[in-house]
PDB file of all heavy atoms in Angstrom:
ATOM      1  N   ASP K 743      84.021 -33.150  24.321  1.00  0.00           N
ATOM      2  CA  ASP K 743      84.616 -32.143  23.698  1.00  0.00           C
ATOM      3  C   ASP K 743      84.982 -31.121  24.840  1.00  0.00           C
ATOM      4  O   ASP K 743      84.110 -30.637  25.556  1.00  0.00           O
ATOM      5  CB  ASP K 743      83.662 -31.538  22.714  1.00  0.00           C
ATOM      6  CG  ASP K 743      84.185 -30.299  21.945  1.00  0.00           C
ATOM      7  OD1 ASP K 743      85.226 -29.790  22.355  1.00  0.00           O
ATOM      8  OD2 ASP K 743      83.459 -29.809  21.072  1.00  0.00           O
ATOM      9  N   THR K 744      86.182 -30.835  25.036  1.00  0.00           N
ATOM     10  CA  THR K 744      86.688 -29.942  26.111  1.00  0.00           C
ATOM     11  C   THR K 744      86.201 -28.526  25.930  1.00  0.00           C
ATOM     12  O   THR K 744      86.030 -27.725  26.874  1.00  0.00           O
ATOM     13  CB  THR K 744      88.290 -29.874  26.211  1.00  0.00           C
ATOM     14  OG1 THR K 744      88.725 -29.396  24.888  1.00  0.00           O
ATOM     15  CG2 THR K 744      88.881 -31.178  26.597  1.00  0.00           C
ATOM     16  N   ARG K 745      85.671 -28.141  24.688  1.00  0.00           N
ATOM     17  CA  ARG K 745      85.106 -26.824  24.527  1.00  0.00           C
ATOM     18  C   ARG K 745      83.642 -26.767  25.102  1.00  0.00           C
ATOM     19  O   ARG K 745      83.145 -25.677  25.552  1.00  0.00           O
ATOM     20  CB  ARG K 745      84.990 -26.455  23.060  1.00  0.00           C
ATOM     21  CG  ARG K 745      86.354 -26.334  22.359  1.00  0.00           C
ATOM     22  CD  ARG K 745      86.149 -26.347  20.859  1.00  0.00           C
ATOM     23  NE  ARG K 745      85.359 -27.380  20.350  1.00  0.00           N
ATOM     24  CZ  ARG K 745      85.048 -27.537  18.990  1.00  0.00           C
ATOM     25  NH1 ARG K 745      85.484 -26.637  18.156  1.00  0.00           N
ATOM     26  NH2 ARG K 745      84.330 -28.605  18.664  1.00  0.00           N
ATOM     27  N   ARG K 746      83.004 -27.935  25.320  1.00  0.00           N
ATOM     28  CA  ARG K 746      81.637 -28.217  25.763  1.00  0.00           C
ATOM     29  C   ARG K 746      81.680 -29.374  26.671  1.00  0.00           C
ATOM     30  O   ARG K 746      80.829 -30.168  26.534  1.00  0.00           O
ATOM     31  CB  ARG K 746      80.714 -28.276  24.664  1.00  0.00           C
ATOM     32  CG  ARG K 746      80.576 -27.126  23.610  1.00  0.00           C
ATOM     33  CD  ARG K 746      80.174 -27.541  22.259  1.00  0.00           C
ATOM     34  NE  ARG K 746      78.885 -28.187  22.364  1.00  0.00           N
ATOM     35  CZ  ARG K 746      77.688 -27.681  22.001  1.00  0.00           C
ATOM     36  NH1 ARG K 746      77.650 -26.456  21.630  1.00  0.00           N
ATOM     37  NH2 ARG K 746      76.575 -28.373  22.036  1.00  0.00           N
ATOM     38  N   LEU K 747      82.502 -29.397  27.702  1.00  0.00           N
ATOM     39  CA  LEU K 747      82.608 -30.569  28.435  1.00  0.00           C
ATOM     40  C   LEU K 747      81.363 -30.937  29.353  1.00  0.00           C
ATOM     41  O   LEU K 747      80.998 -32.099  29.447  1.00  0.00           O
ATOM     42  CB  LEU K 747      83.858 -30.489  29.487  1.00  0.00           C
ATOM     43  CG  LEU K 747      84.314 -31.687  30.174  1.00  0.00           C
ATOM     44  CD1 LEU K 747      84.886 -32.660  28.961  1.00  0.00           C
ATOM     45  CD2 LEU K 747      85.523 -31.405  31.077  1.00  0.00           C
ATOM     46  N   GLU K 748      80.645 -29.908  29.657  1.00  0.00           N
ATOM     47  CA  GLU K 748      79.390 -30.132  30.437  1.00  0.00           C
ATOM     48  C   GLU K 748      78.276 -30.997  29.581  1.00  0.00           C
ATOM     49  O   GLU K 748      77.401 -31.550  30.146  1.00  0.00           O
ATOM     50  CB  GLU K 748      78.791 -28.867  30.956  1.00  0.00           C
ATOM     51  CG  GLU K 748      78.307 -28.024  29.789  1.00  0.00           C
ATOM     52  CD  GLU K 748      79.403 -27.091  29.078  1.00  0.00           C
ATOM     53  OE1 GLU K 748      80.592 -27.268  29.451  1.00  0.00           O
ATOM     54  OE2 GLU K 748      78.866 -26.447  28.073  1.00  0.00           O
ATOM     55  N   ASP K 749      78.549 -30.994  28.278  1.00  0.00           N
ATOM     56  CA  ASP K 749      77.526 -31.641  27.464  1.00  0.00           C
ATOM     57  C   ASP K 749      77.528 -33.242  27.537  1.00  0.00           C
ATOM     58  O   ASP K 749      76.603 -33.935  27.180  1.00  0.00           O
ATOM     59  CB  ASP K 749      77.775 -31.376  25.920  1.00  0.00           C
ATOM     60  CG  ASP K 749      77.212 -29.996  25.522  1.00  0.00           C
ATOM     61  OD1 ASP K 749      76.793 -29.253  26.579  1.00  0.00           O
ATOM     62  OD2 ASP K 749      77.343 -29.696  24.457  1.00  0.00           O
ATOM     63  N   CYS K 750      78.649 -33.724  28.115  1.00  0.00           N
ATOM     64  CA  CYS K 750      78.714 -35.191  28.171  1.00  0.00           C
ATOM     65  C   CYS K 750      78.408 -35.680  29.741  1.00  0.00           C
ATOM     66  O   CYS K 750      78.324 -36.898  29.987  1.00  0.00           O
ATOM     67  CB  CYS K 750      80.047 -35.761  27.839  1.00  0.00           C
ATOM     68  SG  CYS K 750      81.417 -35.338  28.959  1.00  0.00           S
ATOM     69  N   PHE K 751      78.133 -34.702  30.610  1.00  0.00           N
ATOM     70  CA  PHE K 751      77.746 -35.155  31.885  1.00  0.00           C
ATOM     71  C   PHE K 751      76.599 -36.036  32.024  1.00  0.00           C
ATOM     72  O   PHE K 751      76.650 -37.044  32.782  1.00  0.00           O
ATOM     73  CB  PHE K 751      77.469 -33.796  32.836  1.00  0.00           C
ATOM     74  CG  PHE K 751      78.593 -33.016  33.153  1.00  0.00           C
ATOM     75  CD1 PHE K 751      78.381 -31.698  33.787  1.00  0.00           C
ATOM     76  CD2 PHE K 751      79.918 -33.353  32.883  1.00  0.00           C
ATOM     77  CE1 PHE K 751      79.480 -30.859  34.040  1.00  0.00           C
ATOM     78  CE2 PHE K 751      80.994 -32.581  33.156  1.00  0.00           C
ATOM     79  CZ  PHE K 751      80.804 -31.349  33.815  1.00  0.00           C
ATOM     80  N   SER K 752      75.524 -35.678  31.301  1.00  0.00           N
ATOM     81  CA  SER K 752      74.380 -36.527  31.338  1.00  0.00           C
ATOM     82  C   SER K 752      74.660 -38.005  30.912  1.00  0.00           C
ATOM     83  O   SER K 752      74.017 -38.909  31.352  1.00  0.00           O
ATOM     84  CB  SER K 752      73.132 -35.897  30.537  1.00  0.00           C
ATOM     85  OG  SER K 752      73.660 -35.551  29.258  1.00  0.00           O
ATOM     86  N   ALA K 753      75.481 -38.106  29.792  1.00  0.00           N
ATOM     87  CA  ALA K 753      75.767 -39.449  29.304  1.00  0.00           C
ATOM     88  C   ALA K 753      76.515 -40.271  30.362  1.00  0.00           C
ATOM     89  O   ALA K 753      76.360 -41.446  30.637  1.00  0.00           O
ATOM     90  CB  ALA K 753      76.505 -39.446  28.016  1.00  0.00           C
TER      91      ALA K 753
END
Side-chain angles (χ1 to χ4, degrees):
D743 177 356
T744 55
R745 299 169 303 178
R746 299 157 53 106
L747 198 59
E748 67 281 358
D749 285 2
C750 72
F751 290 173
S752 53

